[in-house]
Amino acid sequence: MDKIFKEYEWDDDKESSFNFAKQKILKKPKSKNKSTREENGSEPGKFVRAPPPIEEQTESPEITNGKSKKRKRTLSEPTGAQSQNENGTKSKKGKKQKGTEKLNQSLPSKAAEKIPENGSPKIEKPSSFRDRLMDSLKGSRFRFLNEQLYRTTGEEARKMFQEDPGAFQAYHDGYRHQIAQWAMNPLDRIIKAFQKIPEDHIVADFGCGEARLAESIPHKVYSLDLVASNRSVIACNMANTPLETNSINVAVFCLSLMGTNLRDFLLEANRVLKTGGILKVAEVSSRFDNVKEFIDCVQKCGFLLENQDLKHKLFYFFNFKKVRTVEKAAIKGKHFSLKPCLYKKR
């Protein structure tokens, strides 16, 4: 009888009274599975599905027109078993993920790009070939005009812009591009200095450009330049302005001592300034071969140096006071000038 009938056990199922179930024989777990369960922190004897790694792709069936189709699915978030084992130490993939997060945090996004301290917006580089070509042509024209302004007199520069009205706009477009790349704008420092100057003082801004100084301070400002960029600017040669004699309290030359006849500009500032008036000068440091020689030339035009700041790497700042009136015909001899400030090709 034992040979004919196999051994069965009773299955106590309420729905069926006589059911036979084949006896389950438990196999010994392999050593590899055992180590995996211990790593996952699961209890012995329980089956726990190990979660796939972060970048691992698993396949799940997708039914299309009654047919099953395999579809790849990427898991985005790790589980606790991935990032940490039973001993509380991070796994290799957890370390890799952390390093990736740090790298992503260190890379600046487009929305979080730093804006320079000078307040100028960051200029994006052109992407297409045509845009790069046009940008290169604009840069070349700016450098040409910039060199002409340093190598001609104020009157010659004024005639050049009168003959080519678009040249002045092209020059200031290139100038704005250069300012956006500077660590600081010297005009910002001059604007800040006017907080200590009485508001009833009258200011003359020689070489004002777009007249930003007049827009930034509460003082009355006469904005002077070779071409009027807006209605508030007086177009003139800075060596011969329409301002009245002894009518100004502060004269400003911010990156505008250009040309070969700087003495004429300073003598014009001496004419319009009241005795005791202030002359503020900010220039690129690379233009000075000898700072003492420059100060001596300015003082010959009726000014006295009050203070100077030569600590900045890019710009030098000077404050002079008018101590006497000097007539233009009284000074004879060779004109002095500073070195040209030539910009590199972009």
Side-chain angles (χ1 to χ4, degrees), residues 17 46 52 55 58 69-70 89-90 97 107 110 122 129 140 154 179 195 204 236 238 247 300 314-316 319:
S17 56
K46 286 190 177 181
E55 298 178 356
T58 59
K69 185 180 178 181
K70 291 184 179 180
T89 58
K90 294 184 179 179
Q97 180 193 4
L107 292 174
K110 290 184 179 180
K122 188 175 180 180
F129 174 76
S140 299
I179 290 177
Q195 296 176 359
C236 63
M238 290 189 296
S247 60
K300 288 178 181 179
L314 297 178
F315 307 103
Y316 287 167
N319 282 329

Side-chain angles (χ1 to χ4, degrees), residues 279-297:
L279 171 66
K280 287 183 171 293
V281 176
E283 268 301 337
V284 181
S285 58
S286 60
R287 299 191 63 197
F288 295 88
D289 279 332
N290 192 327
V291 176
K292 185 179 181 302
E293 183 179 347
F294 169 75
I295 293 173
D296 291 341
C297 292

